[in-house]
Amino acid sequence: MGDSGPGLAAPALERVFEAFYSTKLGGLGLGLSICRSIIEAHNGRLWASPNVPCGAIFGFIAPTHPAAIVSGVPLRDLRHGRHRVWQAADQWW
């Protein structure tokens, strides 16, 4: 996901996933830290990078659900507007 806002300076980019660090006035600094914890708990990875010439890009990867691999059931990619939902054997991700 990317935007064209003010972006993140290099020092902020290095700290953006730290708990209680925020670039927003009055921000708690928990959102991205929680997101990274959840994604890493599922053996995924979350990162941030500059969106040249302005803004930021956040991306993540996560492995395919093990049940889909073991069962051999192909995943269906169901698109709902801008969101993607994966379905296999009556389970949603």
Side-chain angles (χ1 to χ4, degrees), residues 24-50:
K24 296 179 182 177
L25 183 61
L28 293 177
L30 292 175
L32 290 173
S33 175
I34 291 170
C35 289
R36 180 174 259 183
S37 295
I38 292 169
I39 290 170
E40 288 180 350
H42 291 87
N43 297 316
R45 182 172 167 258
L46 173 65
W47 66 89
S49 60

Side-chain angles (χ1 to χ4, degrees), residues 17-93:
F17 295 106
E18 290 178 18
F20 304 109
Y21 175 79
S22 180
T23 59
K24 296 179 182 177
L25 183 61
L28 293 177
L30 292 175
L32 290 173
S33 175
I34 291 170
C35 289
R36 180 174 259 183
S37 295
I38 292 169
I39 290 170
E40 288 180 350
H42 291 87
N43 297 316
R45 182 172 167 258
L46 173 65
W47 66 89
S49 60
N51 188 13
V52 178
C54 60
I57 297 172
F58 290 86
F60 79 95
I61 57 172
T64 304
H65 192 279
I69 296 170
V70 173
S71 69
V73 176
L75 293 175
R76 291 191 319 152
D77 182 358
L78 307 173
R79 294 176 188 269
H80 296 282
R82 295 176 53 189
H83 303 283
R84 296 175 81 174
V85 178
W86 299 95
Q87 179 191 24
D90 298 328
Q91 296 182 17
W92 298 87
W93 298 278

